[in-house]
Amino acid sequence: EVEKPKYLPSQIVNRTKENGFVSFRMSDHTKLWKERDAKNPAKGYGTKVATGAWYWYENWVEFVLNYLQQTANESQLST
């Protein structure tokens, strides 16, 4: 069995910036995971490691990027 890659919140924020979402901040990430109850283990978006830190899986990174793209598209339609 292969261990899934894991990401810290700062790495996710950096990925969003690399994908053109330069105004996305750590506080935005925190708000989003809380709104989506993304730390609920049943959702499978990440895991708590032995140190007590929460690490996110790639599927959460993809969710965040898709969410930002969808939000950007919706805001363009409303202008």
Side-chain angles (χ1 to χ4, degrees), residues 8-71:
L8 289 168
S10 60
Q11 293 173 296
I12 296 171
V13 171
N14 288 339
R15 288 268 302 268
T16 63
K17 292 181 186 313
E18 290 168 3
N19 282 274
F21 302 103
V22 295
S23 63
F24 191 77
R25 307 268 184 255
M26 186 67 71
S27 60
D28 299 315
H29 180 259
T30 302
K31 181 180 176 186
L32 183 59
W33 73 252
K34 286 181 177 182
E35 286 176 356
R36 303 296 178 176
D37 189 28
K39 286 189 178 182
N40 181 337
K43 298 200 175 187
Y45 286 130
T47 189
K48 189 182 284 191
V49 296
T51 62
W54 185 270
Y55 281 78
W56 298 98
Y57 294 138
E58 184 67 31
N59 64 338
W60 175 251
V61 178
E62 292 170 7
F63 177 91
V64 171
L65 291 172
N66 288 335
Y67 172 84
L68 291 172
Q69 185 62 55
Q70 181 180 1
T71 303

